[in-house]
Amino acid sequence: MKFEEMLLKRESCRSYGDRPVSREDLLKICEAGRLTPSACNSQPWKFMVVDEADAKRKLCDALVVENGNSGAVWREDCPAFIVLLEQKANLVPMAMEHCQDSQWFARGDLGMASLNMCYQAMELGLSTCILGLVDQQKLHASFDIPEDQDAYVVVAVGYRKTEKPARTKIRKTLDEVVCINKWK
C-alpha cells in the first residue's frame, strides 16, 4: 500500500473483535516505535505491551479518568494496548540552551512514535486508536511504574470488529492550513 493510500485509509478504531493480536505483531509494532527519530536521538520512551487479561483490566481501569468517564468506553473489548512511557531525554548542550528543560521535545517524540506504531499495525492488518487520557496514579500503582515516568499516549491495537469501508476524511483544505513565505 502506498503511503498516500495509508494516509487516506488510516482511522481510529473503536470497535474491536475478540481475535487476539500475536505477541510477534505487537513486538513488530514496538520496533516501529523504537526506530522513530527523536530530538538529539534521545529516544525518550519505553513501551509496555499489555495483552493479558489481568493486565488489561488494570490498564482499562487506569483509562477511566474522571467520575467513571472515559473517551474509550469500548476499551475492554480491545485485545491489546501499547503504553508509551516518557523517559528522561538527554539533549545535546546546544539544544538545552534553547529549551525550558530536557523534556522539551519528548512528548512530540512520543507522538511521532505512536503514529509510526499505528502505520506499522495497519500494514499488519490491524486497527488502532491513540488514547491520551490516563489516570497516572492508577497506572503507576497497578504496574509498579516509577513516579517519574508518565504515560501520555496509549495505543489500542486489535482487529476491527466488522469490515467496513473507511469513512471519508473531513479535513481543512490545503489553502486553510498552508502559507508560503509569510503569514496569511
Side-chain angles (χ1 to χ4, degrees), residues 30-181:
C30 289
E31 178 71 353
R34 184 185 75 82
L35 293 174
T36 300
S38 60
C40 301
N41 196 30
S42 62
Q43 305 171 58
W45 46 60
K46 186 167 186 95
F47 310 129
M48 182 174 69
V49 172
V50 178
D51 64 348
E52 294 178 353
D54 187 48
K56 281 181 18 184
R57 275 191 293 279
K58 290 177 186 178
L59 180 60
C60 286
D61 186 48
L63 294 175
V64 176
V65 294
E66 187 177 309
N67 301 324
N69 294 322
S70 169
V73 294
W74 44 264
R75 66 195 180 281
E76 293 175 8
D77 295 329
C78 186
F81 298 89
I82 300 173
V83 181
L84 286 75
L85 296 152
E86 181 180 335
Q87 303 293 291
K88 173 103 172 85
N90 293 311
L91 302 180
V92 297
M94 186 277 303
M96 281 300 299
E97 290 176 23
H98 302 281
C99 299
Q100 291 178 355
D101 61 42
S102 67
Q103 298 308 104
W104 184 257
F105 300 105
R107 288 189 189 167
D109 292 341
L110 287 166
M112 289 189 299
S114 69
L115 191 56
N116 276 359
M117 292 172 140
C118 289
Y119 282 118
Q120 177 64 69
M122 186 177 183
E123 183 180 313
L124 295 169
L126 294 156
S127 294
T128 56
C129 187
I130 299 173
L131 307 169
L133 298 176
V134 181
D135 183 319
Q136 300 298 330
Q137 289 180 330
K138 284 183 182 180
L139 186 73
H140 290 140
S142 296
F143 293 97
D144 296 320
I145 296 169
E147 290 298 318
D148 65 341
Q149 297 180 34
D150 286 335
Y152 293 103
V153 179
V154 176
V155 178
V157 182
Y159 293 94
R160 183 178 296 284
K161 191 175 215 171
T162 58
E163 290 299 319
K164 67 174 185 84
R167 66 178 192 261
T168 301
K169 290 189 181 244
I170 300 169
R171 298 291 188 266
K172 294 177 180 178
T173 66
L174 196 58
D175 287 342
E176 291 177 285
V177 299
V178 175
C179 54
I180 298 175
N181 295 321

